[in-house]
Amino acid sequence: MTAQTSILAQIKKFDTIIIHRHQRPDPDAFGSQFGLAELIKTSFPNKHVYVVGKMKPSAEWMGEMDEIADEIYHNALVIVTDTANSPRVDDQRWNLGETVIKIDHHPNEEPYGDYNWVVEEASSSSALIFSFYQEFKDELKLSDAGASFLYNGIVGDTGRFLFSTNSKTMAVVSELMKFDFDWFKINQMMDTISLQAARMSGYVFENMQMNELGLNYIVLKREVIDSFELGDFGTAFVVPLLGKINSVKAWIVFEEQDEGFYRVRLRSRNTIINGVAARHGGGGHQFASGALANDEQEIETIVAEVNDVLKKEQG
């Protein structure tokens, strides 16, 4: 019995299904979570399906999160999408369910849950959800709204098809575009920023630090971020900026959090950097990972470690 067959059997078995995803959600986290919920609701309208976690104001156009009591988890199936490690699951009540399923495309360093379906070569968790629908098309129904969520997740996690894109990815997108939703609007929303974000982009280009190895990075202090009054827009738009320079091979954004530590976003063109992330409380894809830095000293350590990786790569 394949993992997918076991997952479908569990979905059929339970009347209550609660879907989680990771903290600080990106489009694929929302897309796979909402898309799977819509797939289950449309296929099995008598089931009680909930999506939980904190909602980002900038993502409210996608839908609303559910606020549920602890007792709802009793005799419930919990499905966690797009989350490699259990500490990153948004809303730690996920383990209160009777059965837990993990669906993900990140390296499976922690196979938590009773059932695991992890495909590292998949472009996104949203693409996995669509392949699940395709595999059991005779039993499942996907609505136009469900297709739009999955499309959004794929566009987001591939950087509008700049990364993790191959013929399989585009075949999925081709099928999704046969549904009735405004994919052009989604593309536009992914490619626009606010005026405040545009002004901060100028700051980033002026203050980035780039070396001869091809590493480009910036440290964003909390007071700098707050000075641009980004509102609900967030700082995710900063990440691709550093990689736009043609001589850059790897780039890092260090973003100070309210608590004083730094969120670390590591990216590269084709240099494997997730080992660095793993040594600093994070992980992720080979070329796109996240980590944490407790202070400026750890920032210097991370920069030095990425420099070492680039040196070894260049021989």
Side-chain angles (χ1 to χ4, degrees):
M1 181 179 293
T2 66
Q4 299 94 302
T5 302
S6 298
I7 290 172
L8 180 59
Q10 293 301 310
I11 290 174
K12 290 179 177 179
K13 174 182 175 182
F14 285 88
D15 292 326
T16 299
I17 301 171
I18 306 168
I19 305 175
H20 290 243
R21 38 79 183 152
H22 62 73
Q23 300 167 356
R24 300 186 181 93
D26 56 15
D28 189 34
F30 279 126
S32 58
Q33 182 186 36
F34 279 113
L36 179 58
E38 188 67 21
L39 176 62
I40 296 173
K41 289 177 182 178
T42 306
S43 305
F44 308 101
N46 293 326
K47 293 185 182 295
H48 303 286
V49 183
Y50 303 97
V51 290
V52 298
K54 295 180 181 178
M55 171 54 76
K56 290 171 57 176
S58 59
E60 288 178 348
W61 63 274
M62 293 188 68
E64 296 181 358
M65 308 306 296
D66 297 309
E67 295 184 8
I68 60 175
D70 291 355
E71 52 265 28
I72 300 295
Y73 285 83
H74 182 64
N75 291 328
L77 171 65
V78 171
I79 305 177
V80 184
T81 68
D82 200 44
T83 311
N85 307 309
S86 59
R88 289 200 68 210
V89 180
D90 197 347
D91 194 327
Q92 283 291 302
R93 294 180 298 171
W94 64 271
N95 56 6
L96 297 179
E98 181 176 325
T99 300
V100 176
I101 294 171
K102 174 186 179 181
I103 300 176
D104 192 24
H105 71 124
H106 299 96
N108 196 20
E109 297 171 357
E110 184 189 353
Y112 59 86
D114 304 290
Y115 299 90
N116 273 238
W117 182 33
V118 178
V119 182
E120 294 182 23
E121 60 269 23
S123 68
S124 58
S125 293
S126 295
L128 280 180
I129 301 302
F130 186 72
S131 70
F132 179 73
Y133 156 71
Q134 285 187 307
E135 183 169 351
F136 303 106
K137 210 169 183 178
D138 56 334
E139 300 183 71
L140 300 176
K141 296 179 182 179
L142 183 64
S143 66
D144 294 329
S148 72
F149 293 138
L150 299 180
Y151 177 86
N152 183 69
I154 295 171
V155 171
D157 239 31
T158 60
R160 300 190 306 282
F161 311 113
L162 290 174
F163 315 109
S164 302
T165 300
N166 52 33
S167 59
K168 290 183 179 179
T169 304
M170 301 313 292
V172 169
V173 171
S174 176
E175 289 299 315
L176 284 169
M177 291 176 72
K178 294 177 182 178
F179 288 81
D180 186 14
F181 65 92
D182 194 345
W183 55 266
F184 183 71
K185 180 179 179 181
I186 292 174
N187 290 351
Q188 285 186 315
M189 294 184 70
M190 289 283 185
D191 196 39
T192 56
I193 60 176
S194 66
L195 177 60
Q196 294 87 343
R199 288 172 174 155
M200 185 173 178
S201 298
Y203 173 89
V204 170
F205 285 126
E206 286 289 336
N207 292 274
M208 64 189 187
Q209 300 184 57
M210 185 173 168
N211 64 26
E212 68 281 358
L213 293 170
L215 173 62
N216 196 9
Y217 73 93
I218 189 165
V219 179
L220 296 174
K221 302 289 287 186
R222 192 74 250 162
E223 59 265 25
V224 170
I225 298 171
D226 292 342
S227 71
F228 285 98
E229 300 181 343
L230 298 173
D232 298 330
F233 197 81
T235 58
F237 71 94
V238 172
V239 181
L241 296 179
L242 300 183
K244 288 184 177 295
I245 300 168
N246 58 11
S247 56
V248 167
K249 296 181 179 179
W251 59 100
I252 317 170
V253 175
F254 298 95
E255 179 186 337
E256 187 177 22
Q257 306 297 296
D258 291 333
E259 298 84 353
F261 65 90
Y262 291 82
R263 182 182 182 185
V264 185
R265 296 179 172 115
L266 298 97
R267 301 290 187 270
S268 75
R269 298 198 194 285
N270 50 24
T271 300
I272 298 175
I273 41 79
N274 59 345
V276 176
R279 289 193 291 274
H280 296 274
H285 302 295
Q286 290 184 329
F287 311 134
S289 300
L292 298 174
N294 290 318
D295 49 36
E296 293 185 10
Q297 182 177 353
E298 189 165 7
I299 288 176
E300 293 178 3
T301 300
I302 292 173
V303 169
E305 290 181 5
V306 175
N307 279 332
D308 287 342
V309 172
L310 290 170
K311 287 177 184 176
K312 291 177 182 178
E313 183 179 68
Q314 296 173 26

